[in-house]
Amino acid sequence: QYDPADASAPAAPSGLAVAPVNGGLELTWSPVLENDVAGYAIHFSERSFINPQSAGVRSVPYLEGSTRHILTGISEITFVRITAVDFSSNGSAPTELVSALPLAGDAAAIELTTDTVSTSVNGTVNLSASGADSYDWDLDGDGVFEVTDDATGSHSADTSATGIIRPRVRASDTGGTSVALGGLSLIITGKTRPVASAVADPQSGSTPLAVTYSGFAEDIEDGEALTYAWDFDGDGIYEPDTDTTNPAAHTFLSPGLFNSRFYVEDTEEAWSVASLAILATGEDHSQPLASFSADPPEGSYNTDISLDASGSRAAQGETITQYAWDLDGDGTFETDAGTDPLHELNIPEPGYYDIGLRVTDSGGQQATVDITYTVHGWRTKLVQAGTVDDKTGYFPSLAVVAGQPAIVHYTIDPYNVIFSRAGDPLGVEEDWTILNLAFQGSFVCNQDSLSEINGNPAIAFTDVTSLDLLYARSSSSTGELLTDWTTVTVDFADDVGYNPSLAVIDGNPAIAYEDMTNKSLKYARSTSSNGMSPLDWTQIVTVDTDYAKYPSLAEINGRPAVSYSEIDIDAVKYARSSSTDGALPGDWADHVVMDSADSQISYAAGLGLREISGRPCLTYVEGVNGRLFFARALQAEPGNFNDWNSVYIDGELNHRVGFYGNLSVLDGKPIIGYLDNELDALGLARSSTLQGNHPSAWNDVSVTEFDAPNPAPCNFAVINGHPAFAFSTSFSAWYAILF
């Protein structure tokens, strides 16, 4: 069968896999379905290689005729590639490189015998194997082991077809690691079965992919008296009306790898099958596709949006009969646009909006798609309405509680602490729960008075009657029931607890607060993670005996730290404990004045001490002009004024900004929310860098555009990735978030 004019190499084998066995490697691969393939060359080396002809690469000294081989005589990790070789000695490209380490032990030895080497069709040929515990049998030599885990070692060959068949046996021990292969050739005489081959053009492409097939069949006895059938999609079912060698072209509408088959049968039901692999890529054209775009891609206040669904399509051979829109995100496609793919709508306020499209084609099939459309801007929510008498919403503290925004604030007449929590993660879609905790609270809400302590909301505040520092915590994660809350007294001294700042320090709740009697700064930390017993709050120390106000407590590089104002000298001060809990007076010996009276600072600290990029950072306000500054330490533990870098953010002479400001972090960068008194609006300043230590980093300064007269007091926080404010206006508690 050697053809000297044949210079075309066969296709490369695919699916080469390797499994370690005793004393060798078991190799398996998928056959190359070309009629002139003589066998497979096996190349191996103890080093990785690309070219089988490279130095140091060895080859099995014969062609393997099957798609399974046990490579023996090796003990180190071995790299293997195989090539297909045709009858004219043309070699294919090598397979992908595989490798494995043989198992210890000796390879199995197997003996396979037969009582005859030839018989007629359906004659009896007994096969006998020995030398192993278990045998897998390929009785007709087609490469598939029809019988597995046979312990007898005896079977009869499948002689139902004429020609030369090569039964094979795979033998193994009980552990499956000692493996051997054996095979022999049998001549089955009688009427031959037909030979089938097929070609397809093209064999790959994007859907819809039209493929033309052509089959060839040959049978010595029957000549052309043959029957044919085609299975185009490889599902095992031969298509009707395909008794021909040249069927009508088949179109693949869905992507996938399809094993098309050409079946040939002679007059005595001997048969043969040729297979072709068809690769279809792209979209599924057997189903409609829903697709649309929005212009503009994102919006702002009162946005007019143009929706364009002309990119949708029907299933192959059908047309779109309806475009239906779901414009309110409820899953119901309430807007029937008929056959018009264009639609206009207006979204009046900021937020995230789900917009859906459903297309229906003339075949009755449907497809849907949806997007989330973002309208940027501030969205406000009335949390609790108040009156001129009760002044609801005063001094709010804003935080995330159980994944949703929460605010604690107080009313003035009478003095009561109010806890409110949103009904959704961004706080604008559902109503807020309102819980009057009936605590006597004055100056309850420094910006850090509300915090999540060990998974549950907690509050630090002052009892207006006893002038004691109190701590309250809910026993539930949401804090929505009055019975959930328990209150303990932290400090019984007179006139203490003003402007409390609550934080988690070394795993336990801690509070920094003012002692108005002694005009000093105090610090208390619980000895338990919940702080629910008065006995937990025995660790109370004085941080600074000077006239200290507006503290902000945070854990900085693993130790408690406080920023605050010293009123007597109009300076910002910073103190950091030398221990992880700050429980001893000696822990707070050092106080750093980070700005001096030259700046005439007022309300200078208590504006949200934060650790950002490994350094303590805070904001402060210049008292005379009311200008806002951002300060960042130049090192993890600043020692004096020269260790701080202050950057001017906003404000000018007689334009007072920065009051009630708070520092937070968004996307790892500093962000400050504050009150602009001159514009009677809430201001937002964002740093474009992680450090914010240069004036040019703070070019993004804006004020909110919603109508909120005299929005003070206010508090700022980052809520689930969005800048947000809690504030009091018109004697009511309000909330605003930026989309």
Side-chain angles (χ1 to χ4, degrees):
Q1 302 180 38
Y2 173 70
D3 182 2
D6 180 13
S8 177
S14 62
L16 177 61
V18 59
V21 296
N22 288 3
L25 303 176
E26 184 176 12
L27 310 176
T28 58
W29 60 91
S30 299
V32 176
L33 301 177
E34 298 181 23
N35 291 332
D36 63 342
V37 173
Y40 303 90
I42 300 171
H43 315 281
F44 61 98
S45 174
E46 293 180 357
R47 294 181 300 172
S48 175
F49 64 94
I50 298 176
N51 187 352
Q53 308 305 321
S54 301
V57 179
R58 294 179 287 167
S59 299
V60 173
Y62 58 87
L63 292 183
E64 174 60 68
S66 72
T67 58
R68 188 182 293 264
H69 181 86
I70 294 184
L71 185 63
T72 58
I74 55 177
S75 59
E76 304 294 331
I77 186 170
T78 301
F79 298 83
V80 181
R81 293 179 186 265
I82 67 170
T83 57
V85 181
D86 65 15
F87 291 119
S88 298
S89 299
N90 298 309
S92 73
T95 62
E96 294 291 328
L97 188 69
V98 298
S99 64
L101 177 67
L103 301 179
D106 297 328
I110 182 176
E111 182 178 20
L112 178 62
T113 61
T114 177
D115 54 359
T116 181
V117 295
S118 66
T119 186
S120 60
V121 173
N122 295 323
T124 301
V125 178
N126 294 313
L127 305 175
S128 179
S130 60
D133 299 317
S134 177
Y135 306 92
D136 298 337
W137 294 93
D138 173 12
L139 299 173
D140 56 4
D142 65 352
V144 178
F145 291 98
E146 299 92 351
V147 178
T148 58
D149 297 328
D150 169 45
T152 66
S154 298
H155 261 285
S156 296
D158 183 349
T159 60
S160 59
T162 60
I164 297 176
I165 65 170
R166 295 179 174 85
R168 290 172 68 84
V169 63
R170 180 182 183 273
S172 62
D173 61 2
T174 55
T177 60
S178 182
V179 179
L181 297 175
L184 46 77
S185 297
L186 304 176
I187 299 176
I188 311 300
T189 61
K191 190 173 182 179
T192 60
R193 67 177 182 175
V195 176
S197 63
V199 294
D201 184 36
Q203 284 190 244
S204 64
S206 299
T207 57
L209 178 64
V211 178
T212 301
Y213 292 90
S214 180
F216 173 79
E218 186 178 40
D219 187 84
I220 297 175
E221 293 85 7
D222 289 331
E224 296 182 358
L226 303 171
T227 57
Y228 312 102
W230 291 84
D231 173 15
F232 298 120
D233 56 10
D235 63 355
I237 301 175
Y238 288 91
E239 323 300 343
D241 301 323
T242 56
D243 185 9
T244 176
T245 56
N246 295 287
H250 179 76
T251 300
F252 291 88
L253 301 178
S254 303
L257 181 62
F258 302 92
N259 186 32
S260 298
R261 299 173 183 175
F262 173 50
Y263 177 88
V264 182
E265 185 178 291
D266 66 14
T267 56
E268 293 190 1
E269 297 184 351
W271 55 270
S272 181
V273 173
S275 298
L276 292 166
I278 307 297
L279 178 62
T281 59
E283 299 174 351
D284 185 356
H285 285 259
S286 67
Q287 302 288 330
L289 173 70
S291 175
F292 71 94
S293 61
D295 184 27
E298 294 181 338
S300 56
Y301 271 119
N302 202 27
T303 298
D304 291 321
I305 306 171
S306 298
L307 303 177
D308 184 353
S310 57
S312 303
R313 58 164 175 76
Q316 185 78 1
E318 307 291 344
T319 59
I320 293 180
T321 58
Q322 184 195 50
Y323 295 89
W325 297 94
D326 172 19
L327 302 178
D328 55 10
D330 64 353
T332 301
F333 297 89
E334 69 283 344
T335 302
D336 183 355
T339 57
D340 186 358
L342 304 179
H343 189 73
E344 304 287 331
L345 77 154
N346 176 272
I347 299 180
E349 60 181 350
Y352 297 132
Y353 297 90
D354 293 327
I355 302 174
L357 168 68
R358 183 186 67 201
V359 297
T360 305
D361 67 15
S362 53
Q365 299 186 94
Q366 295 182 330
T368 62
V369 67
D370 62 82
I371 65 170
T372 298
Y373 191 85
T374 302
V375 178
H376 295 289
W378 288 95
R379 184 92 167 264
T380 59
K381 183 76 173 181
L382 175 63
V383 176
Q384 184 180 2
T387 67
V388 67
D389 295 321
D390 61 31
K391 293 182 174 57
T392 297
Y394 259 49
F395 291 97
S397 182
L398 174 63
V400 175
V401 169
Q404 295 175 188
I407 300 171
V408 61
H409 58 95
Y410 75 96
T411 60
I412 291 181
D413 188 14
Y415 284 115
N416 278 327
V417 178
I418 309 295
F419 174 78
S420 304
R421 182 172 175 270
D424 60 279
L426 296 181
V428 291
E429 300 297 339
E430 306 290 339
D431 289 336
W432 291 55
T433 59
I434 307 298
L435 183 63
N436 188 340
L437 297 177
F439 301 153
Q440 290 288 307
S442 177
F443 301 103
V444 60
C445 297
N446 191 4
Q447 75 286 342
D448 296 324
S449 289
L450 171 65
S451 186
E452 198 171 61
I453 302 296
N454 198 17
N456 296 354
I459 308 167
F461 63 100
T462 301
D463 185 290
V464 75
T465 301
S466 64
L467 300 179
D468 295 335
L469 174 64
L470 303 182
Y471 168 84
R473 180 178 177 271
S474 171
S475 60
S476 70
S477 61
T478 59
E480 294 176 348
L481 297 177
L482 187 61
T483 54
D484 294 341
W485 289 84
T486 301
T487 306
V488 297
T489 300
V490 175
D491 193 340
F492 291 91
D494 291 337
D495 211 8
V496 296
Y498 289 88
N499 292 312
S501 179
L502 174 64
V504 176
I505 300 297
D506 196 24
N508 295 354
I511 307 169
Y513 57 98
E514 300 172 13
D515 181 339
M516 294 300 292
T517 299
N518 299 302
K519 295 184 179 180
S520 61
L521 175 64
K522 281 188 169 183
Y523 168 85
R525 178 180 176 273
S526 169
T527 55
S528 74
S529 60
N530 295 332
M532 299 304 293
S533 169
L535 298 178
D536 295 339
W537 296 92
T538 57
Q539 297 177 342
I540 299 178
V541 299
T542 297
V543 175
D544 196 336
T545 58
D546 293 325
Y547 195 176
K549 292 182 70 65
Y550 315 117
S552 182
L553 174 66
E555 191 170 76
I556 304 295
N557 292 307
R559 305 204 316 250
V562 185
S563 63
Y564 55 99
S565 289
E566 184 177 336
I567 302 302
D568 289 339
I569 62 173
D570 285 328
V572 179
K573 299 184 77 172
Y574 172 83
R576 182 165 175 254
S577 169
S578 60
S579 68
T580 58
D581 59 8
L584 299 176
D587 296 342
W588 298 89
D590 296 328
H591 309 111
V592 178
V593 178
M594 55 158 286
D595 211 337
S596 67
D598 294 337
S599 297
Q600 299 187 51
I601 296 163
S602 178
Y603 306 102
L607 298 178
L609 175 65
R610 298 288 182 265
E611 180 182 327
I612 303 176
S613 299
R615 300 288 185 270
C617 301
L618 54 87
T619 61
Y620 65 88
V621 180
E622 187 184 55
V624 173
N625 296 322
R627 298 190 301 175
L628 179 66
F629 285 80
F630 168 77
R632 180 177 187 268
L634 301 178
Q635 54 189 355
E637 191 165 353
N640 55 53
F641 171 79
N642 294 323
D643 293 335
W644 291 85
N645 179 56
S646 294
V647 177
Y648 163 68
I649 302 297
D650 193 16
E652 57 190 29
L653 186 64
N654 298 322
H655 185 140
R656 303 177 66 79
V657 304
F659 297 99
Y660 305 110
N662 197 9
L663 172 65
S664 191
V665 182
L666 180 61
D667 298 328
K669 302 172 184 177
I671 183 170
I672 304 170
Y674 57 93
L675 174 66
D676 187 320
N677 278 357
E678 289 297 318
L679 297 179
D680 200 19
L682 300 174
L684 190 65
R686 309 188 203 207
S687 170
S688 59
T689 66
L690 296 177
Q691 294 80 22
N693 55 356
H694 192 275
S696 62
W698 294 93
N699 291 330
D700 186 3
V701 178
S702 62
V703 294
T704 56
E705 68 273 21
F706 54 82
D707 183 20
N710 189 25
C714 64
N715 183 227
F716 172 77
V718 173
I719 301 296
N720 294 323
H722 295 258
F725 281 99
F727 59 96
S728 174
T729 185
S730 300
F731 310 109
S732 298
W734 285 80
Y735 168 83
I737 189 167
L738 181 62
F739 285 87

